[in-house]
Amino acid sequence: MSESAVPFGARWQLWEQFALRGAGFPAAGVLRLAPEGLAAAADEFGVGDVLSGPRWEGFVAEFGVAAVGTAVVLQEVAGLGSFRAAVAWQNRAVLGSGIGPFLGWVPSVVGRTSMPRQREELVAHYWQRFCVKNDTIGFFGPVGWGRLDRSVRGVVMEPGEGLIVRSAVYFSSWSIDALARTLDEQEPGLREWLAPRRVPFVRVDTGSVTVPGRPAQPVTPVVRRVLECCDGTRAARDIQRELGVDASLLADLVKRRWISWRLEVPADAHPERHLRATLESVGDRTLRESALAKLELLERGRDRVQAAAGAEELTQAMAALEADFMTLTDTAAARAKGAGTAPGRTLVYSDSTRAATARIGGDVLAALAPLELLMTSATWLASRLADRVRSRAEVVFDQLGAAAGAGGRVDLAAFWFACMPILHGDAVSEAAAIQREFWLSWAGILGLTEDPKEQGRRREVRVTADQIADAVREAFGRQGAAWTAARYLSPDVLIAARDAAAVERGEFELVLGELHVATNTIGASLFVNQHPAPAELLAQTGRDHPGPRLMPLLPKEHRSRLSIRVRHVLVRPEDYYIALVDNPTDPRRARTVLGADVTVERREGRLVVRLPDGAVFDALDVFSHVLTTLVMDLCRILPEADHSPRVTVDKLVLARESWRYVAGELGFAREKDEARRFVRARRWRDEDELPRFVFVVSPTEPRPFFVDFDSPVYVNIFAKAVRRLAAKDPQARLTITEMLPTPEQTWLTDDQGNGYTAELRFVALAD
């Protein structure tokens, strides 16, 4: 048992430290947008009532006054310097195009035409994100930290001073990459000072070079020696001088895609530091100073953004940085959103550390105990996927081994590329099939039928852990070996309680947000960099893994799953990196191995990889990132349905109640009159017994958004999202999930007593 971990159930331990994710604005902010008494007045009109006549006209007048009052509140919100600064980080352009004009408008009933209403919704939409979404970015979503402490009861809060204790501005990796690319292209003399390196999947034998999927090509001893020297640490001029070759040979190897010879920046939260180190090694003073001057221009711009006080200074500093960047690189200063764009659209981003800290007591930890049952089923998911991928990979290995012939070897690069159809085809189908089996097992455990009508009538399934423990072990107890990272699970847990005092009295429920399978989510750069002592997290990782690990090197970014901010950085010097396709690491880092230099073997009936120094690891660890990506979000105990009940085990909510609707069938959304739309939306909500506070997920919206059915402006935002989805596909569905905890249940407070939404991000490790 780790000395800094807490025992949890029969085979688990929880890291003593947890991350505290919370919003950066008080949750009560969204409640200000629900005019007092308006919802009750709207509910006086029953389903059969005609929305006309004197009584209706009286309500319309009341609605108009309330809408103007809400507009005034939204102007107060939009006038907050902290709000405008948060918006500036998200989308600076709307400060001038939307929020500025909105602040200059005088609200009135007749003046609430289309454009002012759109601007109201713009402010309200940002406001809900800042007040009730547990994002992790900047001061409007700072990272907090806490510890498990069995010696206390409930939640012990230390609010600290202010909201945050520190904040830092980081370059997005793509912005420094763009500068490096520009320097490479515009400074031709720079190339000879750069160190080329072999492409990871290029295999060099005594008299030949092999690229996966192609026949071996003969090479001269000189070319072989050049390839051996291209290790990313020796400058091209030194290789040329040592071996007596000229730059044309290196250029030819680049053309063949056998080496990479350009100004590259390793993946890191501080890419500018690596670029600086490379540029400072350039022996030509003129070249060096010219290149460094361009980097320093961006660094000064970043520093001005860091030092900016208030939204106005921030926008000016950002605009100046963008202008300098575009002048230097002739590249757009912001990336368009798209399926192929990773997070990080802007040149720089900000992360902050929350001042508040928390200790979670033994009684809260005891209430979390039923989570062990779900964790058992989660590890079953990983082991089942591992079994199926392993069996298919063995077939690929046998085919490659037969092709290599007696005495030949199967290198990891060839094996990796040959397994691509499995990892991105068969394994995807296998994961979906395993999840369906997972759902069926949980339906039996919880006593749910497959009849949608029966399930639709059940609002909640409430059981005890003792009632279902045997069934869980029977369904999920048979597990095989998975990959090393699959020992980790990362549950996000929320506490539903009116305040910390209520938690201490035992008046609380726990709510599972998500259970991330096969990953340590607080090992991501965005968390580690905001920890007061990152070495503590690294030391805990060492206790979890006494020996070295094998970890595949990932590209810097890839769509929505990978960016520098979410890159796993709890990597120790003794751990091995395997470069398969890309090699975005510091070439001077020890224990970084090229895939083509690694051998795949079968030992004692299992596939392993043998590194050049003789170290041996399970071959499945090479696929760990792909497998984790497939399985990490599969652990939802209920499939999507028209209605899914809340599932509660003892004091732990494992699944919130949810509903799915066809967008084209929600008639209230098409109502043009605001007052009628509000009344009809509330009638619809009452008929289906939806709660007041919900989150909505729609295929046409970039992220889930909050709706308060007592707030006309949030009903308007909801209706607009429905119309947008229906216009794209009338049969498309959106999902509505109860908000739990609600905005009134905020135990996390600051030094002024303001309450914030929050979740606890734990790390669990299987013994």
Side-chain angles (χ1 to χ4, degrees):
M1 182 63 63
S2 170
E3 62 188 64
S4 294
V6 176
F8 187 73
R11 57 173 296 221
W12 297 91
Q13 52 180 296
L14 295 177
W15 277 22
E16 180 187 290
Q17 299 194 54
F18 57 82
L20 184 59
R21 300 184 71 213
F25 287 79
V30 293
L31 302 180
R32 298 178 62 198
L33 304 186
E36 186 175 355
L38 188 65
D43 292 345
E44 291 180 3
F45 295 91
V47 175
D49 289 350
V50 178
L51 302 184
S52 62
R55 190 162 68 97
W56 174 250
E57 291 172 1
F59 174 77
V60 170
E62 181 181 355
F63 184 93
V65 172
V68 170
T70 298
V72 171
V73 172
L74 286 168
Q75 284 187 322
E76 294 173 2
V77 168
L80 295 172
S82 54
F83 174 84
R84 294 199 307 278
V87 173
W89 279 111
Q90 294 294 289
N91 187 348
R92 194 177 74 253
V94 304
L95 289 174
S97 63
I99 292 177
F102 179 61
L103 288 171
W105 170 65
V106 179
S108 67
V109 173
V110 296
R112 289 188 66 252
T113 54
S114 175
M115 186 56 70
R117 290 201 305 271
Q118 290 181 42
R119 290 166 178 159
E120 290 175 8
E121 293 166 13
L122 173 71
V123 174
H125 194 79
Y126 277 112
W127 191 232
Q128 59 87 27
R129 182 179 180 188
F130 299 156
C131 290
V132 296
K133 295 290 295 298
N134 296 323
D135 283 336
T136 306
I137 185 168
F139 69 89
F140 47 98
V143 177
W145 293 96
R147 292 181 182 269
L148 297 172
D149 185 350
R150 291 182 183 275
S151 69
V152 303
R153 282 190 58 81
V155 177
V156 178
M157 282 291 308
E158 294 291 343
E161 184 176 345
L163 178 66
I164 63 174
V165 291
R166 64 188 178 100
S167 184
V169 175
Y170 303 84
F171 280 108
S172 296
S173 61
W174 69 267
S175 62
I176 298 300
D177 285 342
L179 176 59
R181 188 167 54 250
T182 298
L183 294 173
D184 205 6
E185 294 170 352
Q186 296 182 359
E187 301 284 359
L190 192 63
R191 185 68 61 90
E192 65 176 300
W193 298 96
L194 304 180
R197 57 182 173 182
R198 177 160 47 105
V199 173
F201 52 78
V202 173
R203 172 176 162 181
V204 181
D205 294 313
T206 301
S208 65
V209 167
T210 305
V211 175
R214 298 179 185 176
Q217 300 183 48
V219 294
T220 65
V222 171
V223 170
R224 178 175 178 272
R225 181 64 182 135
V226 169
L227 288 170
E228 289 174 343
C229 289
C230 289
D231 60 2
T233 65
R234 304 185 216 189
R237 61 185 285 124
D238 296 333
I239 295 174
Q240 294 171 52
R241 184 171 55 249
E242 179 183 341
L243 301 182
V245 299
D246 58 32
S248 63
L249 176 56
L250 292 174
D252 181 64
L253 296 180
V254 171
K255 189 178 298 183
R256 290 171 177 248
R257 294 192 64 198
W258 289 359
I259 68 170
S260 173
W261 185 23
R262 61 180 184 269
L263 183 54
E264 296 179 297
V265 183
D268 191 80
H270 300 283
E272 75 284 1
R273 297 177 184 175
H274 291 280
L275 179 57
R276 171 174 289 279
T278 299
L279 296 178
E280 287 177 343
S281 70
V282 173
D284 184 311
R285 179 178 178 180
T286 302
L287 275 175
R288 181 177 66 250
E289 293 182 351
S290 173
L292 284 171
K294 294 173 182 177
L295 173 60
E296 288 164 357
L297 181 63
L298 296 187
E299 289 176 327
R300 288 194 297 272
R302 184 270 320 273
D303 293 344
R304 284 194 294 270
V305 172
Q306 171 81 58
E312 287 69 25
E313 280 191 25
L314 179 61
T315 55
Q316 292 170 8
M318 285 181 166
L321 174 61
E322 291 176 357
D324 289 339
F325 176 82
M326 289 187 289
T327 299
L328 287 176
T329 67
D330 194 26
T331 302
R335 299 189 298 182
K337 290 183 179 180
T341 303
R345 296 176 56 233
T346 54
L347 298 178
V348 293
Y349 62 91
S350 172
D351 277 322
S352 302
T353 306
R354 185 182 288 273
T357 59
R359 285 184 292 156
I360 299 299
D363 52 339
V364 178
L365 186 59
L368 192 61
L371 183 61
E372 182 190 8
L373 301 176
L374 184 61
M375 290 162 65
T376 297
S377 66
T379 55
W380 175 90
L381 281 169
S383 68
R384 292 280 283 185
L385 181 62
D387 288 343
R388 298 189 184 186
V389 170
R390 185 182 287 110
S391 64
R392 293 177 183 270
E394 288 174 348
V395 174
V396 171
F397 172 77
D398 290 338
Q399 292 170 343
L400 292 175
R409 77 178 182 94
V410 176
D411 69 74
L412 179 57
F415 180 67
W416 169 264
F417 279 95
C419 286
M420 285 298 99
I422 297 173
L423 298 174
H424 298 288
D426 296 342
V428 176
S429 302
E430 294 283 12
I434 291 167
Q435 187 179 44
R436 288 192 293 272
E437 188 178 349
F438 179 81
W439 285 335
L440 286 173
S441 295
W442 268 107
I445 291 166
L446 297 172
L448 293 171
T449 70
E450 295 185 43
D451 182 353
K453 293 183 180 179
E454 175 63 24
Q455 186 167 318
R457 287 192 289 268
R458 299 191 67 175
R459 301 301 304 272
E460 182 176 15
V461 176
R462 182 176 284 274
V463 297
T464 67
D466 289 342
Q467 289 172 333
I468 65 172
D470 289 343
V472 169
R473 284 190 286 268
E474 175 63 26
F476 302 113
R478 297 177 295 278
Q479 300 180 5
W483 57 102
T484 299
R487 292 181 62 204
Y488 282 120
L489 297 174
S490 295
D492 296 336
V493 178
L494 301 89
I495 303 175
R498 187 158 293 277
D499 51 33
V503 181
E504 186 175 359
R505 293 193 302 269
E507 299 169 2
F508 68 90
E509 270 192 324
L510 302 181
V511 181
L512 178 66
E514 292 181 272
L515 178 59
H516 304 286
V517 182
T519 185
N520 174 355
T521 52
I522 69 171
S525 174
L526 69 96
F527 288 108
V528 176
N529 285 335
Q530 305 313 311
H531 192 278
E536 293 181 3
L537 303 181
L538 199 60
Q540 180 62 50
T541 301
R543 289 187 284 268
D544 294 347
H545 304 280
R549 293 172 294 171
L550 180 71
M551 310 179 75
L553 261 177
L554 307 176
K556 288 185 181 179
E557 54 182 35
H558 183 257
R559 299 193 182 98
S560 61
R561 281 289 188 185
L562 190 62
S563 71
I564 293 298
R565 290 186 75 239
V566 300
R567 192 177 194 85
H568 187 83
V569 296
L570 293 180
V571 182
R572 305 160 299 167
E574 61 264 37
D575 293 324
Y576 289 90
Y577 266 140
I578 291 288
L580 297 164
V581 179
D582 298 304
N583 193 359
T585 191
D586 187 336
R588 292 173 176 77
R589 183 194 185 273
R591 294 199 169 188
T592 300
V593 185
L594 304 187
D597 297 340
V598 176
T599 302
V600 185
E601 303 173 348
R602 182 179 276 113
R603 291 191 180 184
E604 299 178 357
R606 68 187 183 104
L607 291 183
V608 299
V609 292
R610 177 170 53 83
L611 277 54
D613 67 358
V616 175
F617 296 91
D618 192 300
L620 218 58
D621 283 349
V622 177
F623 303 145
S624 61
H625 178 71
V626 178
L627 296 176
T628 293
T629 300
L630 287 172
V631 79
M632 72 176 298
D633 295 328
L634 294 186
C635 196
R636 294 181 290 107
I637 62 175
L638 300 178
E640 290 185 334
D642 289 348
H643 172 259
S644 296
R646 181 192 295 185
V647 177
T648 305
V649 183
D650 296 334
K651 294 185 71 168
L652 173 63
V653 177
L654 290 182
R656 299 177 177 96
E657 189 175 11
S658 65
W659 301 257
R660 296 183 75 230
Y661 294 99
V662 175
E665 296 177 359
L666 300 182
F668 72 86
R670 297 189 296 274
E671 173 62 64
K672 296 185 182 300
D673 180 78
E674 270 190 296
R676 292 177 186 275
R677 184 190 306 141
F678 183 62
V679 171
R680 291 185 60 189
R682 291 190 59 78
R683 285 177 176 175
W684 166 79
R685 170 240 175 187
D686 288 344
E687 288 171 5
D688 278 16
E689 300 182 24
L690 270 66
R692 173 182 171 182
F693 305 113
V694 300
F695 279 104
V696 179
V697 175
S698 171
T700 56
E701 306 305 312
R703 57 182 60 87
F705 61 93
F706 163 85
V707 174
D708 175 0
F709 283 107
D710 283 10
S711 167
V713 69
Y714 283 124
V715 169
N716 288 346
I717 290 172
F718 176 42
K720 182 173 289 186
V722 172
R723 293 196 300 271
R724 191 156 38 234
L725 180 58
K728 183 177 181 180
D729 179 3
Q731 296 305 308
R733 292 175 177 265
L734 50 80
T735 301
I736 298 176
T737 304
E738 63 172 325
M739 183 184 185
L740 189 69
T742 67
E744 299 103 337
Q745 296 173 314
T746 51
W747 57 269
L748 176 64
T749 57
D750 61 17
D751 56 350
Q752 302 300 309
N754 298 307
Y756 297 81
T757 63
E759 68 183 28
L760 315 176
R761 174 157 287 184
F762 294 109
V763 176
L765 180 77
D767 288 337

